[in-house]
Amino acid sequence: MEVSRTRHFGRAAENLYLTQSAVSFRVRQLEGLLGVELFSRQRNNIQLTPAGEKLMPLAESSVLLEQRIRQEVAMADGKSQQMSLGATPNLWDAFLQEQLRLFMSSSPGIALNAMAHSSGNLVRQIIERTLDLAFVFDAPKVDELTTIEVMNIPLYLVSAEPCDSWQDALAQDYVLVDWGTSFQIQHAQEFKGAKPPVLQTNTGRIALDCILSNGGSAYLPSSLIQPYLDSGQMHVVPDAPVINRTVYASFHASSGREELINKVIEQIATNVTAAAALASPQGESR
């Protein structure tokens, strides 16, 4: 995994605190065990072979499973409950990071493992039982998973400078945030012919930092923008549609941990609903 990430045996060895010969030997051992070549070795260009590409997600799952086993066994004597939850980067930005803090303070008997991944990786990890619970914008259609609707998050078009119309806002260094497939579809329908964005990102915090530093506009949730609306650093575009995104919670249908999972979902959803009631941006359009 480290050689694949660095594309260099020497740098991988440094990161793993091993000699380069040790790393090369272990890779050859693995290739001999599997009977395939995992890397195409060309000078200054080490690439995964098709077999190596196939192995990577399985190797990552194996490492995660080993970590999970160690955590569960180590915590058995302390009788603490272990919960592994994940979300896409933009969902951590939109609501989950703050809720994680609140949940930890109110549930001292539960130890959490928090991960940020793409929706596809989250679903795969739940199926492989290396993840207990995932929050996503687009509900996965997988028979093994139980998926429930948790809440709605409204997204507002905001800009660093006051704008009278969404056309003006999108013409001012617009940052397109990936809030999921449904958002992309509605966005394309609402803003046909709009100027292409200057930046595309999968996390709202990057868009927020960009606008605060360089100006521009983006669709962002109230949890990120409210302090800047209050201070006058950002402005809601009055005629832009509010795009609502549904958040789903997914977990394995036969996990055996439904009681704990439902407790986590219920508490997080309650906290988010209460916070949203107090943080509706002024000037939102209907």
Side-chain angles (χ1 to χ4, degrees):
M1 287 168 57
E2 190 64 21
V3 173
S4 173
R5 188 183 70 81
T6 61
R7 299 189 184 279
H8 194 281
F9 280 88
R11 283 193 288 271
E14 291 177 4
N15 295 342
L16 296 169
Y17 301 99
L18 296 169
T19 64
Q20 182 171 339
S21 60
V23 172
S24 298
F25 176 72
R26 292 180 185 183
V27 170
R28 287 198 302 271
Q29 274 190 316
L30 182 57
E31 290 177 324
L33 178 67
L34 298 175
V36 295
E37 286 192 353
L38 300 175
F39 294 98
S40 61
R41 297 164 174 83
Q42 300 176 13
R43 185 174 179 82
N44 298 324
N45 185 25
I46 295 175
Q47 302 283 343
L48 284 170
T49 63
E53 295 281 1
K54 285 281 189 181
L55 178 61
M56 276 300 295
L58 301 174
E60 291 167 353
S61 297
S62 297
V63 171
L64 288 172
L65 182 58
E66 180 186 359
Q67 292 173 347
R68 181 69 181 276
I69 290 170
R70 291 180 184 276
Q71 291 168 350
E72 293 282 0
V73 172
M75 294 176 60
D77 291 339
K79 297 183 173 58
S80 295
Q81 291 178 292
Q82 172 80 15
M83 166 65 68
S84 178
L85 63 88
T88 55
N90 49 20
L91 269 173
W92 280 110
D93 288 341
F95 85 98
L96 197 53
Q97 190 148 343
E98 175 64 14
Q99 301 315 312
L100 186 64
R101 182 185 65 79
L102 295 174
F103 182 82
M104 291 175 67
S105 63
S106 62
S107 305
I110 300 177
L112 291 175
N113 182 18
M115 308 293 291
H117 287 293
S118 67
S119 295
N121 278 337
L122 293 171
V123 170
R124 176 171 56 80
Q125 289 181 29
I126 293 177
I127 293 173
E128 295 169 349
R129 301 177 186 269
T130 57
L131 190 70
D132 291 313
L133 174 64
F135 291 94
V136 293
F137 276 130
D138 298 307
K141 295 177 174 58
V142 180
D143 291 340
E144 296 99 315
L145 303 188
T146 297
T147 299
I148 60 176
E149 183 177 324
V150 177
M151 70 198 77
N152 287 301
I153 294 180
L155 301 170
Y156 304 89
L157 181 59
V158 294
S159 62
E161 300 294 334
C163 295
D164 294 330
S165 68
W166 64 260
Q167 289 92 341
D168 292 341
L170 266 63
Q172 296 183 14
D173 293 337
Y174 179 60
V175 180
L176 178 59
V177 184
D178 180 6
W179 295 107
T181 303
S182 296
F183 172 84
Q184 299 282 12
I185 293 172
Q186 185 174 349
H187 187 279
Q189 293 172 340
E190 296 279 1
F191 305 117
K192 293 179 180 178
K195 181 181 177 181
V198 297
L199 173 67
Q200 298 188 50
T201 176
N202 68 347
T203 167
R205 197 163 296 279
I206 290 177
L208 174 63
D209 291 344
C210 180
I211 293 172
L212 292 174
S213 300
N214 306 313
S217 61
Y219 263 97
L220 296 170
S222 59
S223 58
L224 285 179
I225 61 177
Q226 191 63 54
Y228 306 101
L229 296 177
D230 295 340
S231 67
Q233 291 176 271
M234 283 190 174
H235 309 270
V236 174
V237 180
D239 74 337
V242 177
I243 300 181
N244 289 286
R245 294 299 287 115
T246 301
V247 179
Y248 298 92
S250 290
F251 55 92
H252 205 288
S254 58
S255 69
R257 315 191 76 196
E258 288 84 355
E259 183 177 351
L260 176 59
I261 289 172
N262 286 324
K263 176 183 177 180
V264 173
I265 294 172
E266 181 179 356
Q267 186 162 340
I268 289 178
T270 300
N271 290 340
V272 171
T273 301
L278 299 174
S280 180
Q282 297 297 314
E284 73 174 84
S285 56
R286 296 293 180 185

